[in-house]
Amino acid sequence: MSQNSKNALATQRACHLGKARMLVIKVGSAVISGPDGLDLSSMANIAAQISALCYTRADSGARRRAILVTSGAVAAGRACLAACGKKLEKYSLAQKQAAAAVGQGLLMEAWTNVFKSHAMPVAQILLTRDDFRSRERFLNARNTFSELQSFEVLPIVNENDTVSVSELKFGDNDCLSSLLVNLAEADLFINLTSAPGVKADNPQTNPDAPFLEIIEDISSLEIRKICGEKTASGSGGMYSKLLSARRVSQLGVGTLIIPGRKKDALLAAFGLAPADEFNGTWVCPAAHAISSRKFWLAYQSNPAGLVEIDNGAANALANHGASLLPGGITSVEGVFPRGAIVEIRSGAQVLGVGLTNYNSAILKKIIGLKRHEVAAILGQAHYPEVVHRDNMLLHAAI
């Protein structure tokens, strides 16, 4: 990348941050916890910066608002139980959920205390994937966040680990944060990590790889190749952070990945404190944003099945804005109902995801058939498309 290009993208970053009014800020376990539980000094550092940001105004003159997504409940609970002689050994799902139940109150108490010194009230919101899957609950949650913001209350969000089952889990708080960007209509995503930023290569195999200041086109980045293993105390690692950044970029929202333990790193990013030469990684937003509805359709739940298509159908979808028809399908995997999200694949390439008009049993009956042949099997009251183009997202980050 030429120096002129770097300068232009740095200017874009500064402009994006200056205009940002609604921030989703995610902090990982590795940033706010250690072997002995929660790190209150790190939490206090973050609280001071968030409160300072929320008392500043964006370029438009509007006061900034923030939502904090926090990990750390399991780590806090684990440390509390260990102090009582109940050390967890297996880390089974039930043990993690029990630790989360113990630690969630401790986590919220700590956040409440560190924000209290800045006269900033907080609210706890625990979510599962089902809160995003249901459109009614999604909109109700949006109204709740909006009302809290009008009261100048900081929403503090975590996954409801205690009751979540596998099909309702986000997987990690990076995924939850990316969905919140859409729900809250945020215009900036900030990920506070234990690393200074994103490395250009896998740090496990190339520890001397340089950090990336700017990722111009994250859709073309080989995320799996450049990412190492998950952090010791967290559940996501850099892979999930970049996957979430790729998702929100599709909304036209940029992501800032910066060191969460570094004093005033967040303020420095906004020009409110002195900055080092390298101050995290900026992931540029996509040039063409998708709609909020299409984002919700694509990511409200994990794909329930797989639809394999031929080269002709793949070309029609990718280059001609076509819907997916039965004639282009070569195989169907999984058991799923009508209205489920399915992954659309051509060979080794994942083309995207979409909302299916047929359940898996019926879909397997009409593989490769033309419209009149489908009508002969299903009758005239059938859908011409398996997945309509309006209910499909190509290049989905899954």
Side-chain angles (χ1 to χ4, degrees):
M1 184 186 300
S2 69
Q3 189 59 47
N4 286 341
S5 296
K6 285 185 177 180
N7 292 341
L9 292 172
T11 300
Q12 181 209 65
R13 164 181 161 158
C15 181
H16 203 86
L17 267 61
K19 290 180 178 179
R21 296 173 54 187
M22 173 61 71
L23 322 176
V24 170
I25 303 171
K26 185 262 177 177
V27 57
S29 294
V31 176
I32 61 167
S33 65
D36 300 321
L38 296 175
D39 184 339
L40 298 182
S41 63
S42 181
M43 296 176 75
N45 173 41
I46 292 167
Q49 295 180 81
I50 292 176
S51 62
L53 272 180
C54 288
Y55 283 108
T56 64
R57 295 184 182 275
D59 291 346
S60 63
R63 187 168 165 180
R64 288 192 174 94
R65 298 285 181 262
I67 295 172
L68 176 62
V69 182
T70 179
S71 301
V74 174
R78 197 178 286 162
C80 179
L81 290 170
C84 298
K86 308 291 184 181
K87 187 173 181 180
L88 302 185
E89 299 291 349
K90 298 179 181 178
Y91 300 130
S92 65
L93 175 61
Q95 285 186 335
K96 287 181 179 178
Q97 290 182 316
V102 173
Q104 186 60 43
L106 298 172
L107 180 63
M108 273 307 299
E109 180 184 25
W111 280 125
T112 300
N113 288 336
V114 294
F115 277 106
K116 185 183 292 184
S117 62
H118 302 283
M120 196 168 190
V122 301
Q124 174 180 248
I125 300 180
L126 299 176
L127 297 171
T128 67
R129 193 118 195 194
D130 212 30
D131 297 311
F132 290 85
R133 187 178 300 173
S134 163
R135 190 64 178 171
E136 182 179 4
R137 288 166 69 173
F138 175 91
L139 294 174
N140 284 341
R142 174 175 284 178
N143 291 336
T144 299
F145 279 102
S146 178
E147 199 66 21
L148 287 170
Q149 298 293 334
S150 72
F151 293 151
E152 298 186 2
V153 172
L154 176 71
I156 298 184
V157 183
N158 198 359
E159 180 168 5
N160 197 347
D161 291 303
T162 303
V163 299
S164 289
V165 291
S166 58
E167 62 269 22
L168 295 183
K169 289 186 71 64
F170 298 100
D172 54 67
N173 275 342
D174 294 306
C175 176
L176 167 58
S177 300
S178 67
L179 298 181
L180 268 177
V181 167
N182 184 43
L183 184 148
E185 300 177 301
D187 43 20
L188 180 63
F189 178 35
I190 301 172
N191 210 321
L192 303 178
T193 75
S194 55
V198 180
K199 285 207 164 190
D201 198 4
N202 188 338
Q204 303 293 322
T205 56
N206 185 7
D208 297 325
F211 285 99
L212 297 171
E213 292 184 40
I214 297 172
I215 298 175
E216 183 176 7
D217 180 13
I218 193 169
S219 66
S220 64
L221 193 70
E222 295 185 60
I223 297 178
R224 288 189 181 276
K225 180 180 178 181
I226 70 170
C227 291
E229 298 298 321
K230 297 175 180 180
T231 55
S233 57
S235 60
M238 193 56 74
Y239 175 79
S240 68
K241 290 167 180 56
L242 288 174
L243 194 66
S244 296
R246 182 177 169 187
R247 285 182 175 182
V248 302
S249 76
Q250 295 175 319
L251 287 169
V253 174
T255 297
L256 192 59
I257 301 174
I258 56 178
R261 286 188 172 273
K262 187 176 179 181
K263 183 174 175 59
D264 293 338
L266 181 53
L267 294 180
F270 283 82
L272 300 173
D276 294 341
E277 186 174 343
F278 178 78
N279 192 36
T281 300
W282 169 245
V283 182
C284 298
H288 302 288
I290 64 173
S291 68
S292 174
R293 175 187 173 274
K294 186 162 282 195
F295 185 95
W296 175 79
L297 282 174
Y299 298 126
Q300 41 97 355
S301 61
N302 290 322
L306 171 66
V307 175
E308 184 80 25
I309 65 175
D310 59 29
N311 291 335
N315 178 57
L317 263 59
N319 300 316
H320 301 286
S323 299
L324 177 59
L325 306 180
I329 298 176
T330 58
S331 66
V332 176
E333 295 180 16
V335 177
F336 48 85
R338 172 189 167 191
I341 295 293
V342 294
E343 182 179 321
I344 303 169
R345 185 187 293 267
S346 178
Q349 183 184 12
V350 177
L351 295 176
V353 295
L355 206 65
T356 173
N357 286 324
Y358 295 101
N359 65 39
S360 55
I362 293 178
L363 196 49
K364 289 174 183 177
K365 293 180 181 179
I366 62 174
I367 288 175
L369 300 184
K370 299 184 183 301
R371 185 167 184 173
H372 70 276
E373 295 173 320
V374 174
I377 294 175
L378 302 180
Q380 293 300 321
H382 69 277
Y383 292 96
E385 310 92 359
V386 174
V387 179
H388 194 278
R389 62 186 180 189
D390 292 342
N391 295 328
M392 182 190 309
L393 178 62
L394 301 180
H395 311 295
I398 57 173

